[in-house]
């Protein structure tokens, strides 16, 4: 059997070693707390599940869905964008439901990238931007996201031959893994850059509703001209604790929406209709659950953040996302540090290197474990640090 280069080119799964370690420890009966995964522990709101169950009984919903999604769902998405961001979208040409944002994020490179083409990809970043590019036969030119620059890419520093050749630009705010946020001024510069170099912009924005201290992120689509150069991926996963239901959307430039619809109609057969109705329920039903969830995450954020400073890890207090991005002490690699935390404290965090070279020197800590577990993790981190320094 001879597998394709795209399989050989896949990076080794970051967690292979750590997963093995976790399994070994659990086999020995040790208790390991994972702060490594960005998957909400809070349940999907009951009214959403109720609708899902009702719709599952309806015979029409047991048949193949349409690739472009239910018209009612596309309308609900357009209405949500109008209410939340003041952005007007044509539900028939500028909205496409997805099997989770990852579906679109992973496949959109097939709309732009031919073998040898370039995509501009942030580093550190959600790994799917670069992998989707590689699957399409292209290569990624990495844009370093550094703390001193607020984890925004420096578009000015991109060599002009690269900017001319590049066909896509990926951005993601509120950001995973750094928790950084962007304002309209940055998005305006992105639109100008994209227009100048004829580059399609893909903004990945699943964390716009997971926010703290009253912060309200903007949408890339709010910038005049954004819908002539790009799209925004969004998701119900993080907003409504619906990661397991696999439902999201992409909105914006009608040419990109059309191209992605054509790609996807050849790969999948849409989102199960009962799940689309559940998503409509989430987007159009009561929204107070969002503030309730954010209050829970904010408490956890504060607990963890205070502990980090006590144990010598430097971090910026996040205004959004489900993560704290913390700088580790000098003299450690992120893998070495994460391994030590696992071995010596029984706490799992994600090494920054897993998100790219520029992630070295950092770890990502997730807020998606129940309060008692987080309190236990914090107690372990404290006593681990005490032992280290005594
Ligand atoms: C969680 C996440 C996604 C995937 O969301 P789904 O809708 O569950 O596929 C996409 N991008 C980023 C940056 C994420 O953190």
């Amino acid at each position: 059997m001879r597998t394709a280069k795209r399989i050989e080119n896949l990076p080794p799964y970051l967690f292979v070693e750590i997963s093995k370690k976790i399994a070994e420890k659990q086999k020995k009966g040790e208790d390991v707390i994972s702060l490594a995964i960005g998957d909400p522990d809070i349940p999907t709101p009951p009214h959403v599940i109720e609708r899902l169950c009702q719709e599952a009984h309806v015979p029409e919903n047991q048949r193949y869905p349409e690739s472009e999604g239910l018209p009612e769902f596309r309308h609900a998405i357009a209405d949500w964008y109008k209410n939340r961001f003041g952005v007007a979208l044509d539900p028939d040409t500028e909205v496409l439901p997805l099997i989770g944002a990852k579906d679109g994020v992973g496949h959109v490179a097939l709309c732009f990238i031919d073998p040898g083409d370039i995509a501009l990809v942030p580093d550190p970043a959600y790994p799917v931007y670069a992998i989707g590019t590689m699957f399409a036969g292209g290569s990624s030119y990495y844009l370093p996201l550094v703390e001193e620059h607020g984890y925004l890419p420096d578009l000015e520093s991109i060599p002009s031959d690269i900017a001319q050749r590049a066909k896509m630009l990926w951005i993601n705010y509120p950001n995973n893994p750094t928790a950084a946020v962007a304002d309209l001024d940055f998005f305006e510069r992105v639109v100008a850059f994209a227009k100048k170099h004829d580059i399609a912009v893909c903004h990945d924005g699943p964390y716009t509703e997971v926010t703290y201290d009253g912060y309200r992120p903007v949408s890339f689509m709010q910038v005049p001209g954004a819908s002539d150069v790009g799209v925004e991926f969004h998701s119900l996963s993080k907003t409504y604790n619906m990661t397991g239901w696999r439902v999201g959307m992409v909105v914006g430039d009608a040419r990109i929406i059309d191209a992605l619809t054509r790609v996807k109609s050849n790969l999948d057969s849409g989102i199960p209709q009962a799940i689309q109705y559940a998503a409509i329920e989430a987007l159009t039903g009561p929204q107070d659950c969002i503030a309730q969830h954010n209050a829970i995450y904010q408490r956890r954020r504060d607990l963890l953040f205070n502990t980090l400073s006590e144990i010598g890890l430097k971090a910026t207090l996040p205004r959004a996302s489900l993560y704290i991005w913390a700088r580790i002490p000098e003299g450690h690699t992120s893998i070495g540090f994460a391994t030590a935390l696992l071995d010596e404290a029984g706490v799992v965090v994600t090494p920054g290197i897993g998100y790219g070279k520029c992630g070295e020197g950092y770890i990502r800590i997730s807020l998606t474990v129940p309060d008692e577990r987080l309190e236990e993790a914090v107690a372990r981190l404290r006593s681990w640090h005490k032992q280290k320094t005594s």
Side-chain angles (χ1 to χ4, degrees):
M1 205 183 290
R2 292 163 300 156
T3 52
K5 291 219 172 54
R6 70 178 65 83
I7 299 300
E8 289 154 28
N9 288 348
L10 280 171
Y13 184 49
L14 169 72
F15 265 109
V16 171
E17 280 308 305
I18 296 184
S19 300
K20 259 194 230 156
K21 274 228 158 87
I22 296 173
E24 274 168 30
K25 284 184 166 279
Q26 285 171 337
K27 219 167 152 189
K28 280 192 255 162
E30 286 176 45
D31 176 45
V32 175
I33 303 175
S34 177
L35 306 179
I37 299 160
D39 187 357
D41 58 299
I42 308 168
T44 307
H47 65 283
V48 176
I49 298 299
E50 200 48 54
R51 180 78 184 270
L52 175 66
C53 293
Q54 280 168 17
E55 297 291 347
H57 290 289
V58 177
E60 292 91 276
N61 294 340
Q62 297 161 6
R63 309 189 63 190
Y64 279 122
E66 298 287 350
S67 299
E68 68 272 19
L70 289 165
E72 300 95 302
F73 185 26
R74 296 199 308 271
H75 274 90
I77 293 168
D79 288 346
W80 185 81
Y81 258 83
K82 183 87 208 155
N83 293 333
R84 170 63 180 88
F85 298 115
V87 169
L89 297 164
D90 179 338
D92 293 328
T93 60
E94 295 179 317
V95 174
L96 176 65
L98 298 170
I99 311 169
K102 190 179 192 177
D103 164 30
V105 168
H107 286 132
V108 71
L110 296 173
C111 303
F112 291 101
I113 301 293
D114 286 315
D117 284 346
I118 291 179
L120 303 172
V121 175
D123 171 6
Y126 185 63
V128 185
Y129 313 143
I131 289 173
T133 304
M134 185 270 280
F135 278 172
S139 55
S140 296
Y141 181 89
Y142 290 101
L143 309 178
L145 304 186
V146 297
E147 200 169 337
E148 304 76 62
H149 219 270
Y151 299 107
L152 300 174
D154 182 3
L155 301 174
E156 306 296 311
S157 75
I158 300 168
S160 60
D161 59 316
I162 297 290
Q164 281 317 116
R165 272 184 62 201
K167 294 175 88 177
M168 297 175 72
L169 164 65
W170 279 102
I171 48 173
N172 159 228
Y173 296 96
N175 187 258
N176 175 10
T178 69
V181 297
D183 56 15
L184 282 179
D185 180 62
F186 170 72
F187 287 151
E188 276 165 17
R189 283 184 278 131
V190 168
V191 169
F193 174 83
K195 284 203 165 135
K196 180 172 171 197
H197 299 288
D198 191 18
I199 291 173
V201 178
C202 291
H203 179 241
D204 189 15
Y207 296 99
T208 66
E209 309 313 295
V210 186
T211 66
Y212 311 114
D213 308 317
Y215 175 66
R216 295 280 278 171
V218 289
S219 162
F220 175 68
M221 304 321 300
Q222 282 172 248
V223 174
S227 64
D228 304 324
V229 294
V231 289
E232 180 163 271
F233 293 88
H234 213 298
S235 174
L236 282 83
S237 287
K238 317 290 167 45
T239 310
Y240 301 103
N241 305 326
M242 289 177 68
T243 49
W245 301 116
R246 311 309 305 131
V247 59
M249 63 274 209
V250 58
V251 305
D253 186 302
R255 295 162 301 176
I256 304 178
I257 298 295
D258 178 57
L260 187 56
T261 307
R262 287 163 59 192
V263 166
K264 274 174 47 63
S265 67
N266 285 285
L267 290 174
D268 65 68
S269 300
I271 306 159
Q273 285 188 179
I275 291 175
Q276 296 188 57
Y277 283 112
I280 293 171
E281 190 66 38
L283 291 176
T284 61
Q287 301 295 303
D288 44 332
C289 55
I290 297 179
Q292 287 162 13
H293 304 153
N294 287 347
I296 294 171
Y297 294 133
Q298 185 168 321
R299 260 202 331 269
R300 294 177 184 170
R301 175 199 69 163
D302 293 341
L303 175 66
L304 198 56
F305 186 80
N306 294 337
T307 309
L308 292 182
S309 53
E310 283 169 35
I311 68 169
L313 298 183
K314 289 209 184 73
T316 308
L317 190 68
R319 301 170 80 187
S321 88
L322 292 170
Y323 314 105
I324 295 182
W325 184 242
R327 190 190 268 281
I328 58 176
E330 296 286 327
H332 295 271
T333 64
S334 58
I335 291 185
F337 192 82
T339 307
L341 279 187
L342 172 57
D343 280 340
E344 297 160 18
V347 173
V348 188
V349 298
T350 319
I353 189 83
Y355 302 96
K357 282 201 183 76
C358 297
E360 188 50 280
Y362 294 85
I363 52 171
R364 191 195 76 170
I365 313 171
S366 166
L367 305 175
T368 53
V369 291
D371 292 15
E372 338 58 273
R373 294 295 278 166
L374 191 68
E375 278 157 24
E376 168 66 19
V378 158
R380 289 186 191 181
L381 291 174
R382 284 211 174 101
S383 66
W384 172 77
H385 181 68
K386 222 178 193 170
Q387 260 179 355
K388 284 258 161 199
T389 47
S390 65

